[in-house]
Amino acid sequence: MKKQSLLLSGMKDGIPIALGYLSVSFGFGITAVGLGISVLNSFIISLTNLTSAGQAQGVSIIAANGSLLEMALVQLIINMRYALMAISLSQNLDKSFRLRHRLIAAYGITDEIFAVCATRKEPIKPMYMYGIIIVSTAGWTSGTVLGASAGTLLPSNLISAFGIMLYGMFLAIIIPPAKKSFSVLLVIMVSAGLSTICKYLLPFISGGFTVIICGIAASLIGALLFPVGEEKKA
Amino acid sequence: MSIALYILVMAGVTYLIRMLPFAFFQKKIKSVFVRSFLHYIPYAVLSAMTIPAIFYSTGNFITAAAGTVVALILAYFNLPLIVVALAASLTAFGIDFLPF
């Protein structure tokens, strides 16, 4: 029963992620079939990768008949941030999170699932994370199939309005802690500032790299100026 | 080249990036500096992903900015994730119908 309620609470927290994914993966589905990839293969790509930027870049490599080495390197660079997130998450796992659970749940480390898990105060239990992953994956794959098979049927302004959903969710995650903690607010501002500089002054840095560089730089500044003691972990 | 091979490489690399650190970083990190660094990582990463990308997220700066303002206000008042996310989206959608 305990496991069930944990799974359910994870599934509930997965709903906003799934809705956001639905719209983003809808766009991915449209792009993929546009590049000549079948609906089934688009679905398989979404199910096995569960990542937006990596997949978008991946299908363009497939369409351009790129090499497997190029594919591997591009995925490595774009998705490198997940390694950082995985290390961060590994520090707040419940004791019940044994190796087999880690091997399975690692599949579901995405920006959004990480965000929801990493900002929880209590240690993460496997069932909770599975709940989020199941619902999010359902949203991601069904959006892909819908976009791949019926993408042109919806009005375009509706689809584009969906594009802001995940970002809205990110703001809802970072703003409340920033109200309570000056150091978190500072880290958020520094990171946003650096990312804006990267976007406009250093446009040759890819989106994935920008996130890594800004995330590391802002967190280093935070850790130098405001070290966090065990008891103060906000 | 077979698309199955591409998908295999793509999925394999992506999984390993996530799995290796997640499965084999079992020890608690003792260093206060490293712990603090990891404490700030989620906020820094999410902030860098959101800004300035949110202003381009709808393909129209005005609708995206309106959605952002609404999201900021609702987030400030601790509204649930889904409410903030949907309100940002609906605002962007609604603003799109205004005659300017």
Side-chain angles (χ1 to χ4, degrees):
Chain A
M1 193 58 206
K2 186 100 190 302
K3 279 191 174 170
Q4 274 179 23
S5 65
L6 266 173
L7 187 73
L8 283 178
S9 115
M11 292 176 88
K12 195 174 126 259
D13 289 351
I15 293 172
I17 302 180
L19 288 175
Y21 276 3
L22 205 61
S23 58
V24 176
S25 62
F26 195 89
F28 169 74
I30 297 174
T31 310
V33 289
L35 290 170
I37 293 167
S38 70
V39 176
L40 178 66
N41 280 328
S42 310
F43 165 77
I44 294 173
I45 291 172
S46 276
L47 182 67
T48 54
N49 284 267
L50 200 68
T51 179
S52 58
Q55 286 183 207
Q57 207 56 47
V59 290
S60 73
I61 293 175
I62 294 174
N65 232 337
S67 73
L68 290 177
L69 180 69
E70 180 187 2
M71 177 66 95
L73 282 178
V74 164
Q75 297 303 321
L76 184 70
I77 290 165
I78 295 182
N79 294 330
M80 188 73 87
R81 67 186 187 283
Y82 294 139
L84 206 62
M85 295 179 186
I87 295 173
S88 172
L89 278 185
S90 76
Q91 295 299 300
N92 195 28
L93 296 180
D94 188 73
K95 281 202 186 73
S96 59
F97 228 119
R98 305 212 181 281
L99 183 63
R100 66 170 188 283
H101 289 306
R102 291 177 185 236
L103 292 177
I104 301 168
Y107 156 80
I109 300 173
T110 67
D111 300 332
E112 298 75 16
I113 294 173
F114 164 75
V116 172
C117 289
T119 49
R120 279 170 73 85
K121 280 177 199 120
E122 61 269 45
I124 308 153
K125 297 205 165 85
M127 281 301 148
Y128 174 78
M129 199 162 164
Y130 290 155
I132 301 188
I133 293 173
I134 290 167
V135 171
S136 306
T137 307
W140 186 248
T141 50
S142 52
T144 303
V145 171
L146 285 173
S149 46
T152 47
L153 300 179
L154 276 187
S156 64
N157 56 349
L158 185 63
I159 297 174
S160 45
F162 279 142
I164 200 173
M165 268 198 86
L166 289 176
Y167 296 111
M169 192 184 90
F170 291 160
L171 289 178
I173 291 171
I174 62 177
I175 299 296
K179 271 185 350 190
K180 281 188 261 167
S181 155
F182 175 73
S183 56
V184 170
L185 178 65
L186 181 86
V187 167
I188 288 173
M189 304 289 275
V190 168
S191 189
L194 290 176
S195 152
T196 306
I197 292 172
C198 286
K199 163 93 182 165
Y200 296 110
L201 300 181
L202 309 163
F204 47 87
I205 303 178
S206 73
F209 261 130
T210 299
V211 169
I212 295 175
I213 296 168
C214 299
I216 290 179
S219 302
L220 278 179
I221 292 172
L224 283 171
L225 296 179
F226 302 98
V228 186
E230 181 71 51
E231 69 288 347
K232 261 178 50 188
K233 201 171 180 302
Chain B
M1 206 179 317
S2 155
I3 188 161
L5 265 179
Y6 280 119
I7 297 179
L8 198 71
V9 170
M10 218 175 142
V13 172
T14 306
Y15 176 68
L16 288 177
I17 295 169
R18 289 165 163 155
M19 186 274 280
L20 292 175
F22 197 58
F24 300 108
F25 238 89
Q26 303 255 14
K27 280 196 186 128
K28 287 277 176 215
I29 294 170
K30 295 260 166 57
S31 152
V32 172
F33 181 76
V34 178
R35 292 191 61 89
S36 305
F37 172 75
L38 292 176
H39 166 72
Y40 290 120
I41 278 285
Y43 305 107
V45 165
L46 288 177
S47 178
M49 281 194 301
T50 306
I51 304 210
I54 192 170
F55 297 108
Y56 299 89
S57 63
T58 64
N60 174 330
F61 182 80
I62 308 277
T63 64
T68 305
V69 170
V70 168
L72 280 173
I73 294 170
L74 297 183
Y76 185 82
F77 290 105
N78 297 334
L79 275 112
L81 304 185
I82 181 69
V83 174
V84 178
L86 278 176
S89 228
L90 286 176
T91 305
F93 185 61
I95 293 283
D96 203 33
F97 286 104
L98 294 180
F100 51 80

